[in-house]
Amino acid sequence: METKIVVLDGAMGTQLGSLNLTETDYRGNFDVLNLTRPDIVKMCHMKYLLAGADIITTNTFNSTHVAQKHYSISPDVAQSMAHMGAKLAVECAQSVRSSGKVAFVAGSLGPTPVSVSIVMGPDQPYNRSATFALLADSYQREADVLIQAGVDIILIETVFDTLNCKATISVALDSVSGRTMSGQNIQAFWASIEHSMPFCIGLNCCLPAKELALHLRTLSRIAPCCIGAYPNTGESCLGKTESPEEFSNLMGHLCCEGLLNIVGGCCGSSFIHISELAKAVSTITPRHTPPRSSHLWLSGLDVTLLDHSSFIKIGEQCNVYGSRFFSQLIKQNKFEEAACVARSQIQSGAEMIDINTDDALSDSVGKMSAFINQLSSDPAIAKYPFVIDSADIAVVEAGLQRIQGKGIVNSLSLKDGEDIFLQKAKLCREYGASIIVMACDETGPAETAERKVEICRRSARLLAHIGVPLHEIIFDMNVMTLASGTRTNNAVEFFEALKGLKREFPLSYTIGGVSNISYPFRALPSLRQAITSVFLFHAIKAGLDMAIMNVTSATDFNSIPQEQRLLIEKLIFDQNSSEDTAETLIHHAQHHSPSHLPILLQSPSIPASDRLTLAIAKGDITCLKSDLEEALQHNTASQILEGPLLSGLVQVGSLFGDGVIFLPHLLRASRVMHQAVEILKTTTAQFEFQKPRGTIILATVKGDVHDIGKCIVGTVMACSNFKVVDLGTQCEASTIVSQACEQKADFIGVSGLISPSLFQMELLAQELARRKFHIPLLIGGAATSELHTAVKLAPLYAPLIHIRDASLCVPIVSTLMNPQTRLHLLDTIKSKQQTLQKAYATSRNSLEVLPFQQAREAKLILDWSRSQPRMHFTGIEIMRDYDVSQGTAPTNKYPDILCDQKVGGDARAVFDCAQTLLLRCEEQNIIPLHAVLGLFPANSVEEDVEIYDDESRAKPKCVFHGLRQQTHSNEHCLALGDFIAPKGSGILDYIGVFAATAGTKMEALVTQLNSEGDTESSLVAEALSHRLVEALMETVHHNFLQYCNLPKGIRPAFGFPQLPDHSEKEAALALLDAERAIGVHLIPGSYAMSPCASSCGMFLLHPEAEYFGVGCIGEDQLQHYAKRKGVVPSALKSVLACAVVD
């Protein structure tokens, strides 16, 4: 396996089916041929061995007694079939081994016609056609016979139900969804069976070779064992049969990617297919096996990967002890209604479900079995991992026998001694479940941090003896109640235990049942929720990885009033004053809640207008209708909208612009504004209010395809009763102007992310002035600034306003719509723009721009006496479906921001949304990350870099033109060429050129999410694609430096400060043939790249290379630069991301 790719044989059924067999020979059951026509079976084995197969599989695919029962064949005869099938294959292998050929026998165990996971009828979704125990017994009997007959390998093949497989590992995937028939994706399948530590895992059946590539790449990345594939060759059911040459070529390509250790054929494959396959892979190096992951993989139909970077919420309501409602449903066998409890928790944010059906007066085993079967029949629930919660080992086993994914057992402890502890742990390992270990021993639950850690240490040592890895252990520190009258500070001891465990067992995880902490306050639900939220905030900071909790009534930490939060923190941390603090808290809650915000808003002492402002600011609709009705008694609908409602939105916009809150909060406030508008429409007879307040045209200007900020503006404006006409991206100035005429627009709003967009905005401003428009033009986007708007755009057209942040658009346009405030705002803006123009002119006059020749004389001169390392490979490499899971990207404040007191809740919402989208994208291959990288011989000529075809360096293949700094800001005036060995120096230097993209499918997903009304997810999806491209570039750069054996380097991108000329992208993409390689091209008429989430740039190799900004350049350098490029200087100003000083 380490030196060659091993060849498995082809389809036995295909070959046997092609023979002229009679009903007497096989009776529709090929396994019978082991007894009736052993000569034919041996002939097939020998032909595959002579064709080049290293492994032949026994003709025992259906020889379990469960499978043969469908042919009315007894278990004894089924065992005889299995024994003879193995004996025939072993004899054939032995006959060729004598001549020196490698030959092994794999005993085939097929999936059987029954399923333990899949519902076979709609009437009782908690019933199944077979049990785990029945299948386990059947598989065990056949496996024993095969091993006794001498097989070398047990091959569990064509698995369509993971639970069937666990009762027994090659997988059969559905040809459309890429999942097993029982619904699991490939990552979830691996998580379910990895505990068995298989020698090899592979894919077979259902799909031909060309459609297995994506799934094999995923499997190859995650499985620390050999990978095999023996796909179909087409077959009539797939509409096409591949020839031996086509089949072997496709498989050869997969092997060349380093994906496989074992290859073979399934349905439709013949001796010739295997012969050609053996030749094709004979010289290819097998896949290198990656190390085993130290992260915790859990699964339902989808995978849940825990890597200590995120907090997991586990729903607690499916517990007969925790919910009276659920308990009654279980007692009455209302499993479908009980499943609704689980679904509600999932919809409220639970990422796993804790399940407990223990009841001394009922059949807990039967209840657990039926309920998990019910949950498994609902994909919306079954996609998540289950936590089997029971003190009864029989109930635990019943649960584990019915989850096809990898779950958790809650919980084990040393309270009954080490022997019982280990007995239960071994059962958990047998079924592949992770283990929650309670900090409890023979003396009872631990109270102090020292005792908690001591018990966990002892438990971990015992589990290590039976092979349980640390990352499969989840420690429960026993969350004790607050204000319980004990002398021990339960919360502080819990936090300290968490910190101690994280130091001693960094690979393990921690959990807590956090509802216990606030149990004494159960009469005040809102206070209890607030206590739980504050406790969780500090527990997560101390190292808590997951919590079992009531997610349906969780309170946002950021929404808790400061006074109440401070009291709760005093209760948690100050044991000496806990009784007094508890009394104060109860008194406070009784006077300010039971649900602090709604009661506050209902308070008659606060005017309705102020309550409406608070409702918008908090994103709360509880009393919205009644407060609006009260406000209408004294104000018109327009006064309410432009008064308290707009005031609330202004508050939110200001906080959003300052980074105090995140996008979800802004959108939530906007939705409340929208509901308020709809209520006003239905409760007022004022005709003028039934119409939109105004019309705004939104567009991303020509040459730019980015529109995240524009979409946010559109959402907020629409929610505020404005008619929004979104023209999309790449909009010509003439189109924008004509639509403004046609729609009788009150405003035009344009955005741009890249610097060429600024030139397009100038054209738009000039066109509006030429057409004598007078409606406000709103300018926004990452490329814009208040200074640029004042200096470059305001002199061309008025009124023209820069919008610093999307959230500020509504307050500004609302002010402009009001005749009483419009003129004052426009005068203020004009005055500020004039001030900025004067300040800019003053700074330009004082800015000393060196003459270009003098700047050249101040260039950086590096020591080139030590020659650069010669590269063993130059050329272009295409990297498709690149894996960035182990890569890095700038993290800024992550993960600390998730626990931030002000923005942690919103940050978590964005993070969770992105994680959900990532899983969706990975399953549906929505973001295939592609890159193309070229490593070329290169030398510099002053600022420019010449790229050569080969080491002769006789003639440049292309030239990248660079700009030089021209100010006194640094000791040297840098240019990109300074870090490349000069031409004529005799130094053989090199440069990397790259392009990367997340593809086009994300744009379709964004459109779909928008059409579904999920604006928040669509915006996160768009941002996510750009972050993934950044991670892709960082990962490729890291690997590139490792390949070149260099400690560091830089990767400037075109259009950024070091390479400010966007037009240079054209040469880079042409050099890489990027459109053919990965689909990246420039949008006609602009220098924006398509797909939108794309980037291109250079890798510089010199260890002293550094990032810098060109800054302002002089007219003299512009002239020189234009001459080198062969263009007129005026054409460059629109594509340069730097200023030109006249």
Side-chain angles (χ1 to χ4, degrees):
M1 289 290 192
E2 294 179 358
T3 59
K4 75 181 293 282
I5 293 175
V6 176
V7 179
L8 187 69
D9 61 6
M12 179 65 77
T14 299
Q15 299 312 308
L16 294 174
S18 66
L19 303 175
N20 294 321
L21 300 174
T22 66
E23 179 64 17
T24 305
D25 291 327
Y26 77 115
R27 304 165 197 171
N29 181 357
F30 284 138
D31 290 27
V32 170
L33 291 170
N34 296 333
L35 302 177
T36 62
R37 292 296 302 274
D39 58 318
I40 290 177
V41 176
K42 290 187 71 172
M43 176 193 71
C44 290
H45 287 322
M46 289 303 298
K47 283 190 174 183
Y48 277 126
L49 286 168
L50 295 175
D54 301 305
I55 302 174
I56 54 174
T57 54
T58 59
N59 184 38
T60 57
F61 187 86
N62 285 316
S63 292
T64 57
H65 68 76
V66 169
Q68 288 301 319
K69 182 179 179 181
H70 289 255
Y71 296 100
S72 301
I73 290 179
S74 69
D76 290 340
V77 175
Q79 283 191 311
S80 297
M81 286 184 200
H83 181 270
M84 184 57 70
K87 181 180 177 182
L88 295 172
V90 169
E91 288 175 357
C92 291
Q94 289 174 343
S95 70
V96 299
R97 285 176 189 160
S98 59
S99 62
K101 175 176 172 51
V102 173
F104 297 95
V105 177
S108 172
L109 290 175
T112 80
V114 300
S115 170
V116 188
S117 294
I118 300 174
V119 180
M120 294 304 174
D123 296 332
Q124 292 182 313
Y126 47 85
N127 285 337
R128 298 293 186 271
S129 61
T131 65
F132 185 99
L134 174 66
L135 277 181
D137 176 69
S138 181
Y139 281 129
Q140 184 68 57
R141 291 190 187 193
E142 186 182 0
D144 288 344
V145 170
L146 294 173
I147 292 170
Q148 290 168 10
V151 302
D152 305 295
I153 304 163
I154 291 295
L155 177 61
I156 307 167
E157 60 178 334
T158 319
V159 172
F160 66 85
D161 182 342
T162 309
L163 197 49
N164 284 25
C165 179
K166 289 170 75 173
T168 110
I169 275 182
S170 140
V171 193
L173 299 178
D174 179 75
S175 58
V176 176
S177 67
R179 292 175 177 263
T180 63
M181 191 181 298
S182 57
Q184 278 195 314
N185 62 26
I186 194 67
Q187 300 99 315
F189 175 84
W190 169 250
S192 302
I193 59 93
E194 68 158 337
H195 67 282
S196 65
M197 301 181 69
F199 168 71
C200 177
I201 182 172
L203 302 178
N204 82 309
C205 208
C206 287
L207 298 178
K210 63 182 178 182
E211 295 182 33
L212 282 181
L214 174 65
H215 310 297
L216 282 173
R217 292 186 190 111
T218 300
L219 191 57
S220 180
R221 187 177 74 244
I222 63 178
C225 63
C226 292
I227 300 294
Y230 51 112
N232 292 343
T233 63
E235 282 287 75
S236 58
C237 62
L238 294 174
K240 184 179 182 294
T241 300
E242 295 159 356
S243 69
E245 292 76 15
E246 290 174 322
F247 177 73
S248 60
N249 284 336
L250 288 168
M251 293 297 290
H253 286 308
L254 295 176
C255 292
C256 286
E257 279 193 53
L259 300 177
L260 294 168
N261 304 97
I262 300 176
V263 295
C266 197
C267 303
S269 59
S270 65
F271 311 123
I272 303 176
H273 284 89
I274 299 305
S275 176
E276 292 295 322
L277 178 60
K279 295 174 188 175
V281 304
S282 61
T283 60
I284 301 175
T285 303
R287 166 182 172 272
H288 172 71
T289 304
R292 185 170 292 273
S293 171
S294 60
H295 297 317
L296 177 56
W297 290 63
L298 301 170
S299 67
L301 299 182
D302 294 345
V303 72
T304 298
L305 174 61
L306 280 71
D307 58 3
H308 301 282
S309 67
S310 59
F311 178 73
I312 300 295
K313 293 176 283 188
I314 303 174
E316 70 173 4
Q317 292 295 293
C318 291
N319 186 320
V320 295
Y321 294 115
S323 168
R324 292 181 182 178
F325 176 66
F326 177 80
S327 178
Q328 290 300 315
L329 293 174
I330 292 296
K331 286 179 180 179
Q332 297 168 24
N333 292 335
K334 294 182 177 180
F335 300 117
E336 187 169 358
E337 291 85 345
C340 293
V341 177
R343 192 179 302 109
S344 173
Q345 293 177 91
I346 293 295
Q347 292 169 347
S348 298
E351 295 153 278
M352 300 182 206
I353 298 295
D354 184 85
I355 304 164
N356 184 304
T357 61
D358 287 359
D359 187 340
L361 300 178
S362 66
D363 177 15
S364 298
V365 171
K367 304 284 189 185
M368 176 66 78
S369 303
F371 184 59
I372 288 188
N373 282 348
Q374 177 74 51
L375 296 182
S376 299
S377 68
D378 186 342
I381 302 171
K383 66 186 295 186
Y384 297 93
F386 295 159
V387 180
I388 308 302
D389 185 349
S390 178
D392 186 340
I393 194 64
V395 176
V396 169
E397 185 168 17
L400 293 176
Q401 287 183 349
R402 285 161 179 81
I403 59 173
Q404 68 165 324
K406 178 184 178 69
I408 299 174
V409 169
N410 183 19
S411 60
L412 274 61
S413 76
L414 290 166
K415 66 182 177 125
D416 297 318
E418 293 183 358
D419 290 342
I420 293 178
F421 175 81
L422 289 174
Q423 176 189 348
K424 293 181 177 180
K426 289 175 181 177
L427 180 76
C428 295
R429 291 302 295 161
E430 180 181 343
Y431 290 96
S434 296
I435 301 169
I436 295 176
V437 174
M438 291 280 291
C440 176
D441 64 4
E442 296 88 344
T443 64
E447 293 184 0
T448 66
E450 182 179 357
R451 281 279 293 139
K452 292 175 191 286
V453 174
E454 177 186 340
I455 293 173
C456 290
R457 184 185 302 119
R458 177 186 169 198
S459 301
R461 186 172 62 249
L462 289 169
L463 292 174
H465 290 160
I466 62 170
V468 180
L470 285 173
H471 66 269
E472 295 278 2
I473 303 173
I474 305 165
F475 294 115
D476 187 341
M477 298 301 100
N478 303 325
V479 179
M480 305 291 191
T481 58
L482 294 172
S484 59
T486 63
R487 302 178 63 179
T488 304
N489 189 322
N490 296 327
V492 172
E493 295 296 335
F494 181 82
F495 298 155
E496 291 304 311
L498 286 174
K499 296 174 185 176
L501 276 173
K502 283 297 181 182
R503 287 192 296 268
E504 189 165 347
F505 301 103
L507 296 181
S508 298
Y509 295 81
T510 55
I511 193 171
V514 297
S515 293
N516 292 340
I517 198 75
S518 56
Y519 185 75
F521 304 90
R522 59 194 179 277
L524 294 168
S526 64
L527 175 59
R528 187 176 185 184
Q529 293 161 19
I531 292 172
T532 301
S533 178
V534 175
F535 177 84
L536 265 180
F537 174 81
H538 293 286
I540 292 169
K541 290 179 66 175
L544 188 67
D545 295 305
M546 52 190 102
I548 301 174
M549 57 188 293
N550 183 0
V551 295
T552 58
S553 60
T555 296
D556 183 2
F557 177 86
N558 296 310
S559 69
I560 301 172
Q562 184 179 16
E563 181 181 0
Q564 186 182 49
R565 177 170 57 78
L566 292 174
L567 284 170
I568 294 171
E569 289 177 335
K570 185 176 182 181
L571 177 73
I572 290 173
F573 291 104
D574 189 353
Q575 179 69 14
N576 295 328
S577 61
S578 63
E579 290 187 15
D580 294 339
T581 305
E583 289 295 326
T584 304
L585 257 178
I586 292 171
H587 182 268
H588 180 276
Q590 289 172 336
H591 286 79
H592 293 84
S593 278
S595 55
H596 50 274
L597 181 61
I599 293 299
L600 178 64
L601 298 180
Q602 290 175 16
S603 174
S605 62
I606 300 177
S609 59
D610 291 345
R611 296 201 300 271
L612 287 171
T613 299
L614 279 172
I616 299 293
K618 295 289 186 181
D620 186 276
I621 63 169
T622 307
C623 307
L624 186 62
K625 185 174 182 180
S626 59
D627 287 342
L628 284 169
E629 290 172 347
E630 182 180 336
L632 282 169
Q633 296 175 13
H634 309 285
N635 303 277
T636 66
S638 295
Q639 289 172 334
I640 294 171
L641 182 63
E642 295 174 7
L645 294 179
L646 182 59
S647 177
L649 203 59
V650 168
Q651 290 183 26
V652 173
S654 178
L655 293 172
F656 180 75
D658 293 338
V660 177
I661 61 172
F662 282 180
L663 179 61
H665 196 130
L666 173 63
L667 295 179
R668 187 166 64 242
S670 299
R671 285 192 289 268
V672 175
M673 181 72 144
H674 176 68
Q675 291 187 47
V677 169
E678 293 303 309
I679 292 171
L680 288 173
K681 284 181 179 180
T682 59
T683 57
T684 178
Q686 299 174 61
F687 176 75
E688 69 275 8
F689 191 69
Q690 304 300 315
K691 300 181 297 183
R693 301 171 63 195
T695 299
I696 183 169
I697 303 291
L698 294 179
T700 300
V701 295
K702 179 184 176 182
D704 202 341
V705 293
H706 303 84
D707 65 349
I708 295 178
K710 175 174 68 66
C711 290
I712 296 174
V713 169
T715 300
V716 176
M717 293 289 287
C719 288
S720 300
N721 201 32
F722 283 88
K723 178 183 177 181
V724 176
V725 180
D726 191 339
L727 302 183
T729 63
Q730 281 277 79
C731 296
E732 297 268 6
S734 58
T735 302
I736 297 171
V737 173
S738 64
Q739 282 294 309
C741 289
E742 182 179 329
Q743 298 290 337
K744 296 181 173 55
D746 300 290
F747 305 93
I748 298 173
V750 293
S751 70
L753 183 77
I754 59 178
S755 53
S757 305
L758 303 177
F759 179 69
Q760 294 295 326
M761 292 177 181
E762 291 183 30
L763 296 180
L764 174 62
Q766 291 169 347
E767 181 65 11
L768 288 170
R770 188 184 69 81
R771 299 276 294 270
K772 302 188 183 314
F773 271 70
H774 298 288
I775 64 175
L777 173 60
L778 311 179
I779 303 293
T784 68
S785 68
E786 191 172 29
L787 178 61
H788 177 272
T789 301
V791 173
K792 294 292 186 180
L793 300 180
L796 302 176
Y797 177 76
L800 189 144
I801 304 165
H802 180 259
I803 306 294
R804 177 175 63 89
D805 191 272
S807 61
L808 302 177
C809 197
V810 170
I812 289 175
V813 298
S814 296
T815 304
L816 293 172
M817 290 293 294
N818 188 335
Q820 298 177 353
T821 57
R822 178 187 177 94
L823 290 178
H824 176 70
L825 176 60
L826 291 178
D827 287 343
T828 301
I829 291 171
K830 183 177 180 180
S831 175
K832 187 171 184 180
Q833 288 174 346
Q834 290 173 341
T835 301
L836 289 171
Q837 290 165 358
K838 292 177 183 178
Y840 178 75
T842 302
S843 66
R844 288 290 291 270
N845 292 333
S846 62
L847 179 66
E848 184 179 356
V849 176
L850 297 174
F852 181 43
Q853 188 56 41
Q854 188 176 340
R856 276 188 164 180
E857 293 170 0
K859 68 183 292 184
L860 174 67
I861 300 176
L862 297 174
D863 179 10
W864 295 102
S865 60
R866 182 169 54 86
S867 63
Q868 294 291 89
R870 185 181 179 91
M871 297 300 159
H872 300 292
F873 166 82
T874 58
I876 295 174
E877 181 179 357
I878 300 171
M879 295 159 282
R880 301 188 64 82
D881 299 310
Y882 205 84
D883 176 22
V884 298
S885 60
Q886 301 303 316
T888 59
T891 56
N892 297 322
K893 299 179 182 179
Y894 174 82
D896 295 344
I897 196 170
L898 301 180
C899 299
D900 187 272
Q901 293 192 22
K902 291 184 178 179
V903 301
D906 285 339
R908 167 61 59 184
V910 173
F911 181 79
D912 289 345
C913 181
Q915 292 295 313
T916 301
L917 285 168
L918 268 178
L919 287 175
R920 177 174 177 176
C921 292
E922 188 170 0
E923 291 170 9
Q924 302 176 9
N925 193 27
I926 288 175
I927 307 186
L929 296 175
H930 306 318
V932 55
L933 170 64
L935 178 59
F936 303 100
N939 287 111
S940 66
V941 179
E942 294 293 351
E943 295 77 33
D944 300 340
V945 180
E946 292 186 350
I947 305 296
Y948 308 105
D949 253 334
D950 52 46
E951 291 295 358
S952 70
R953 305 182 184 230
K955 182 180 179 181
K957 183 175 184 178
C958 78
V959 178
F960 288 114
H961 301 91
L963 291 165
R964 184 173 296 281
Q965 294 174 324
Q966 274 188 266
T967 64
H968 274 308
S969 56
N970 295 297
E971 179 183 357
H972 299 287
C973 292
L974 300 177
L976 192 73
D978 295 350
F979 302 108
I980 308 293
K983 185 177 183 179
S985 65
I987 305 299
L988 304 180
D989 209 348
Y990 302 85
I991 195 170
V993 183
F994 71 88
T997 184
T1000 59
K1001 294 183 181 178
M1002 180 59 81
E1003 294 165 7
L1005 175 62
V1006 170
T1007 301
Q1008 178 185 340
L1009 291 170
N1010 271 322
S1011 66
E1012 294 170 355
D1014 193 352
T1015 306
E1016 180 179 331
S1017 293
S1018 72
L1019 294 169
V1020 173
E1022 194 165 354
L1024 180 63
S1025 62
H1026 292 280
R1027 291 294 294 167
L1028 285 171
V1029 171
E1030 175 66 20
L1032 171 60
M1033 292 188 296
E1034 187 70 19
T1035 305
V1036 171
H1037 188 213
H1038 174 76
N1039 295 340
F1040 176 76
L1041 291 175
Q1042 284 189 327
Y1043 167 77
C1044 297
N1045 196 26
L1046 294 172
K1048 63 178 183 176
I1050 62 172
R1051 55 172 181 89
F1054 293 106
F1056 284 79
Q1058 198 162 357
L1059 294 169
D1061 186 352
H1062 285 271
S1063 68
E1064 289 292 293
K1065 297 174 187 174
E1066 191 169 19
L1069 297 181
L1071 177 66
L1072 298 170
D1073 196 7
E1075 184 167 11
R1076 180 194 61 81
I1078 59 173
V1080 175
H1081 63 279
L1082 294 180
I1083 295 171
S1086 79
Y1087 292 103
M1089 286 181 289
S1090 179
C1092 178
S1094 302
S1095 182
C1096 70
M1098 296 180 177
F1099 291 160
L1100 271 65
L1101 311 183
H1102 198 284
E1104 294 183 45
E1106 61 181 82
Y1107 291 103
F1108 64 90
V1110 170
C1112 294
I1113 64 172
E1115 185 69 28
D1116 54 351
Q1117 181 171 190
L1118 179 68
Q1119 296 286 340
H1120 198 283
Y1121 184 68
K1123 185 177 181 179
R1124 300 199 314 266
K1125 285 178 68 76
V1127 299
V1128 295
S1130 58
L1132 289 172
K1133 292 186 178 181
S1134 66
V1135 296
L1136 290 180
C1138 62
V1140 179
V1141 179
D1142 299 330

